[in-house]
Amino acid sequence: MASRAKATILDIAREAGVSKSTVSLVLQGSGLIRPETAVKVRKAIEDVGYVYNRGAANLRKAHSNVIGMVINDLTNPFFAELAVGMERVFQSAGIVPFIANTAENPVRQEEVLKSLMEQGVAGLIVSPARGTTPGAFRRLETAGVPVVFAMRRLPDSRIPVIAPDNHRGAWLAATHLIGKGHRRLAFFGGTSDLVVYQERLGGFREACDASGIARRDVLVVEGETSRRGGIACLETALALPEPPTAALCFNDAVAFGVMLALRKRGLEPGKDFAVVGFDDVVEAEHYMPALTSVSVDTPGLGERAAHVMLKMIQSRTTHAEDHIGAVNLVVRDSCGPDRRTQDRPAGIGDAA
Amino acid sequence: MASRAKATILDIAREAGVSKSTVSLVLQGSGLIRPETAVKVRKAIEDVGYVYNRGAANLRKAHSNVIGMVINDLTNPFFAELAVGMERVFQSAGIVPFIANTAENPVRQEEVLKSLMEQGVAGLIVSPARGTTPGAFRRLETAGVPVVFAMRRLPDSRIPVIAPDNHRGAWLAATHLIGKGHRRLAFFGGTSDLVVYQERLGGFREACDASGIARRDVLVVEGETSRRGGIACLETALALPEPPTAALCFNDAVAFGVMLALRKRGLEPGKDFAVVGFDDVVEAEHYMPALTSVSVDTPGLGERAAHVMLKMIQSRTTHAEDHIGAVNLVVRDSCGPDRRTQDRPAGIGDAA
DNA sequence: TCCTATAAATGGAACGTTCCAATAAATCAA
DNA sequence: TTGATTTATTGGAACGTTCCATTTATAGGA
């Protein structure tokens, strides 16, 4: 029924009896056209079922209004929370961010970035996949497209980063565990090729060292940053002759896996083994037992990243300051005291 | 450092000493050009740091290669699973789907659809937000853009739908509950403006009627399709003089909320109150207790939707057959028998 | 040798928009 | 009235590609 060939501004112009330039002006909301003319044009736009062709417009205009969001794991609810924060600020700027998933695969990431660039994005917010090569963002840089890293960073790059204070978060968590009387600790999940991993492990180690925990009493098990990874980590740890009694997990997904694996073995998370997560996703509060976790204000970081992006686009620069978000430990039920401490009658102020 | 103005095929042509047409041919992988020439051109492409301008190309070409995916709730892991299925098939077709979130907001959805259309998408896979007006997709239709609905449908539209057999799934779940001896049942969550809701509630009702459960013994509580909605539903139900002993929930998120609220009241899900979910997201298996849920093969539906989309684009049609996916009930630990039945010594084959 | 067939490469028009410079119409100052 | 100024509107060139119709080079057949 509808006219087959799609309508252009020329069709609108004919319909409204004005020139294409006038239509263009109306489309851009220019104040130069007479209100009555604008009304007439807008009516014609409706009548012909016009769809604006942004591709054509971008041919002339300097900037598009598309912002891409490249994330490494869509199934991790953490990133959904991050995305929601960003969307809040982009929405009020009249921008619709497009989300693309790389599924932690650098090759896929390459494709995604290429596709986004070809689309002419105005900017990119990226949480790089693990194993991303240093040169992966070279092209973006030479093209002058503003890029912001969220949550993760690349070893030597000059791209601005929005991330939580990983070092401090891990330090907080470890200190808490030690304060509960634990003396053999573990760090579960993640891989050393991630900068975040280094930071979190660093904070963890620092707290252990400061409290005089011997190096041989801290166990580090690398693994996938997922529930499955957590399960695997716990299995490895408990197979050891002298297993740890508490663990800080790389993120909440890992922690959930650990709790699951504990249950499968008939152990009670929090009582028989203490576990702390990282990120504090909304599920953490609702788990059984509720997960103690390092809260990073995820939507807040998303908002911040979006703001930085907007500012970069506006000032047509490709640089910006890093932003390290404050963290704090949310203590819930997943980490009680060390069993050995617990066996003795515990007095008030029973410190480690 | 990099040449400021971005390179075009003309720059490549100059660099390689050929015509722009030749470059274009190489870009499209045409077999018409001599291999040595192709190599020369490809080198030039690298040298000038060229980025393909898809907007310009789409001006001439009939179809773009962008497919949009519009989902109503990014934070529901269910949709992440759906997206993952789709991505699998699109990836092998060399397509990067762009995901956009509407957050269950029809106004936002309007913006998202508009933006995607302006971008010149080749097709759209949509899970419409609740409260979507019937005319919301009119524009898409007149523009001849292929659209597929996933999971949700609109009352009177002719747009093809990929969805699970909601009626049967709910029927299965209700029958299971009744078989466990429950006589006062509830349906929690969702709102009647959703077609899916009608279908699921319909299957539920049918099973109740068939088993001779009186209408006044089935309670229907509408609510948000989220954890929070589930909490609210349970509160309402338990405030009643004769509360139900079991509930089928609109989806797993609601079920999680219900279990949570039960715990808060000191009740044990599965023992004191039976709950069944819908969708069977991966978390269901890992919950405490593990959630009995209607499995719909989410990634499979995603794949199917993507295939249908691809076929529609290829055959440049805007119609396709609906696809109703098989479902089955995965029985786990969240629904034991009715307490009253349980109080009596239960014999083998203790049927309802 | 010339003609024809095939292979490879090319120029130019078109796609739908924006933006500049130019025009036309309306208003004002003298 | 005339010229200057302001307000609305407009034609045309440009943006970076594709694709058609040509041209040019290469080879084969007589």
Side-chain angles (χ1 to χ4, degrees), chain A residues 227-257:
Chain A
R227 218 178 302 242
R228 192 170 52 185
I231 296 174
C233 286
L234 186 88
E235 299 298 344
T236 332
L238 293 195
L240 258 35
E242 287 218 314
T245 64
L248 169 59
C249 300
F250 177 78
N251 67 16
D252 287 348
V254 171
F256 294 148

Side-chain angles (χ1 to χ4, degrees), chain A residues 78-79 84 89 100-101 110 118 161 198 221 225 229 240 253 255-256 270 287 298 305 308 317 323:
Chain A
F78 171 79
F79 288 103
V84 166
V89 358
N101 184 28
E110 203 83 44
E118 293 181 357
V161 180
Q198 317 273 19
V221 187
T225 59
L240 258 35
F256 294 148
Y287 241 71
T298 317
V308 170
T317 172
H323 180 269

Side-chain angles (χ1 to χ4, degrees), chain A residues 9 24 50 52 60:
Chain A
I9 53 169
S24 176
Y50 171 73
Y52 184 73
R60 295 274 345 207

Side-chain angles (χ1 to χ4, degrees), chain B residues 215-273:
Chain B
R215 277 284 162 137
R216 72 186 143 71
D217 283 337
V218 350
L219 171 68
V220 175
V221 186
E222 296 194 10
E224 277 182 45
T225 60
S226 64
R227 219 179 302 243
R228 192 170 51 186
I231 296 174
C233 285
L234 187 87
E235 298 300 344
T236 331
L238 293 195
L240 259 34
E242 288 218 314
T245 64
L248 169 59
C249 299
F250 178 78
N251 67 17
D252 286 347
V254 171
F256 294 149
V258 169
M259 295 208 281
L260 211 67
L262 283 168
R263 275 263 160 66
K264 282 240 166 76
R265 286 182 160 248
L267 298 171
E268 175 70 13
K271 260 188 87 210
D272 301 313
F273 191 99

Side-chain angles (χ1 to χ4, degrees), chain A residues 92-307:
Chain A
S92 54
I95 288 178
V96 176
F98 291 146
I99 302 170
N101 184 28
T102 63
E104 210 71 281
N105 176 350
V107 177
R108 179 65 173 164
Q109 177 172 267
E110 203 83 44
E111 296 171 6
V112 164
L113 290 178
K114 178 151 169 278
S115 180
L116 252 2
M117 284 196 73
E118 293 181 357
Q119 227 54 240
V121 290
L124 242 32
I125 298 181
V126 184
S127 172
R130 54 169 283 232
T132 297
T133 62
F137 292 87
R138 185 97 32 86
R139 179 139 305 174
L140 273 298
E141 281 178 282
T142 68
V145 178
V147 179
V148 170
F149 283 151
M151 309 311 299
R152 292 182 175 184
R153 71 178 74 216
L154 252 37
D156 54 357
S157 110
R158 267 311 312 145
I159 292 173
V161 180
I162 313 296
D165 190 340
N166 290 307
H167 188 94
R168 178 160 166 77
W171 185 91
L172 242 34
T175 303
H176 176 72
L177 252 15
I178 295 164
K180 285 277 184 180
H182 294 278
R183 284 298 168 272
R184 284 200 311 280
L185 307 182
F187 188 91
F188 284 166
T191 40
S192 56
D193 55 353
L194 252 33
V195 178
V196 208
Y197 179 84
Q198 317 273 19
E199 296 172 347
R200 295 188 182 176
L201 182 58
F204 178 77
R205 280 233 145 95
E206 185 176 307
C208 290
D209 289 349
S211 300
I213 308 271
R215 276 285 163 137
R216 71 184 145 72
D217 283 337
V218 352
L219 170 69
V220 175
V221 187
E222 295 194 9
E224 278 181 45
T225 59
S226 63
R227 218 178 302 242
R228 192 170 52 185
I231 296 174
C233 286
L234 186 88
E235 299 298 344
T236 332
L238 293 195
L240 258 35
E242 287 218 314
T245 64
L248 169 59
C249 300
F250 177 78
N251 67 16
D252 287 348
V254 171
F256 294 148
V258 169
M259 294 208 282
L260 211 67
L262 284 168
R263 275 262 160 66
K264 282 240 166 76
R265 286 181 160 248
L267 297 171
E268 175 71 13
K271 261 189 84 207
D272 303 312
F273 191 99
V275 11
V276 181
F278 211 111
D279 290 348
D280 193 30
V281 299
V282 294
E283 279 86 347
E285 181 187 351
H286 296 144
Y287 241 71
M288 289 299 301
L291 178 68
T292 293
S293 188
V294 178
S295 163
V296 302
D297 182 20
T298 317
L301 286 171
E303 285 180 33
R304 172 55 110 234
H307 273 128

Side-chain angles (χ1 to χ4, degrees), chain A residues 323-339:
Chain A
H323 180 269
I324 306 302
V327 299
N328 67 297
L329 185 71
V330 179
V331 178
R332 299 204 183 88
D333 315 326
S334 67
C335 46
D338 183 11
R339 269 307 200 67

